[in-house]
Coordinates of all heavy atoms in Angstrom, one line a residue:
N32 N 2.0 15.1 8.1 CA 0.8 15.6 7.5 C -0.2 14.5 7.2 O -1.4 14.7 7.3 CB 1.2 16.4 6.2 CG 1.9 17.7 6.5 OD1 1.8 18.2 7.6 ND2 2.7 18.1 5.6
L33 N 0.3 13.4 6.7 CA -0.6 12.3 6.3 C -1.4 11.8 7.5 O -2.5 11.5 7.3 CB 0.3 11.2 5.7 CG -0.5 10.0 5.1 CD1 -1.3 10.3 3.9 CD2 0.5 8.8 4.8
G36 N -4.6 13.7 11.1 CA -5.9 13.6 11.6 C -6.2 12.4 12.6 O -7.3 12.2 13.1
R59 N -8.4 3.7 7.6 CA -8.8 5.1 7.6 C -8.3 5.8 6.3 O -9.0 6.7 5.7 CB -8.3 5.8 8.8 CG -9.0 5.3 10.0 CD -8.6 6.0 11.3 NE -9.2 5.5 12.5 CZ -9.4 6.1 13.6 NH1 -9.0 7.4 13.7 NH2 -10.0 5.6 14.6
L60 N -7.1 5.5 5.9 CA -6.5 6.1 4.6 C -7.3 5.6 3.4 O -7.6 6.4 2.5 CB -5.1 5.7 4.5 CG -4.1 6.5 5.4 CD1 -2.7 5.8 5.4 CD2 -4.0 8.0 4.9
A61 N -7.7 4.4 3.4 CA -8.5 3.8 2.3 C -9.9 4.4 2.2 O -10.4 4.7 1.1 CB -8.6 2.3 2.4
E62 N -10.5 4.7 3.4 CA -11.9 5.1 3.4 C -12.0 6.7 3.6 O -13.1 7.2 3.6 CB -12.6 4.4 4.5 CG -12.7 2.9 4.3 CD -13.3 2.1 5.4 OE1 -13.7 2.7 6.5 OE2 -13.4 0.9 5.3
G63 N -10.8 7.3 3.8 CA -10.9 8.8 4.1 C -11.5 9.1 5.4 O -12.2 10.1 5.5
R64 N -11.3 8.3 6.4 CA -11.9 8.6 7.7 C -10.8 9.3 8.6 O -9.8 8.7 8.9 CB -12.4 7.3 8.4 CG -13.6 6.8 7.8 CD -14.3 5.7 8.6 NE -13.5 4.5 8.7 CZ -13.1 3.9 9.9 NH1 -13.4 4.4 11.0 NH2 -12.4 2.8 9.9
S65 N -11.0 10.5 9.0 CA -10.1 11.3 9.9 C -8.9 11.8 9.1 O -8.2 12.6 9.7 CB -9.6 10.5 11.1 OG -10.7 10.0 11.9
V66 N -8.7 11.3 8.0 CA -7.5 11.7 7.1 C -8.0 11.7 5.7 O -9.0 11.0 5.3 CB -6.3 10.7 7.3 CG1 -5.7 10.8 8.7 CG2 -6.7 9.3 6.9
P67 N -7.3 12.5 4.8 CA -7.7 12.4 3.4 C -7.5 11.0 2.8 O -6.5 10.4 3.2 CB -6.8 13.5 2.8 CG -6.3 14.3 3.9 CD -6.3 13.5 5.1
Q68 N -8.4 10.6 2.0 CA -8.2 9.3 1.3 C -6.9 9.3 0.5 O -6.7 10.3 -0.2 CB -9.4 9.0 0.4 CG -9.4 7.6 -0.2 CD -10.6 7.3 -1.0 OE1 -11.0 8.2 -1.8 NE2 -11.1 6.1 -0.9
N69 N -6.2 8.2 0.7 CA -4.9 8.1 0.0 C -4.6 6.6 -0.2 O -4.1 5.9 0.6 CB -3.8 8.8 0.8 CG -2.5 8.8 0.1 OD1 -2.1 7.8 -0.6 ND2 -1.7 9.8 0.3

Side-chain angles (χ1 to χ4, degrees):
N32 291 336
L33 182 70
R59 290 182 185 205
L60 286 164
E62 297 174 0
R64 288 191 295 126
S65 304
V66 293
Q68 186 177 39
N69 184 323

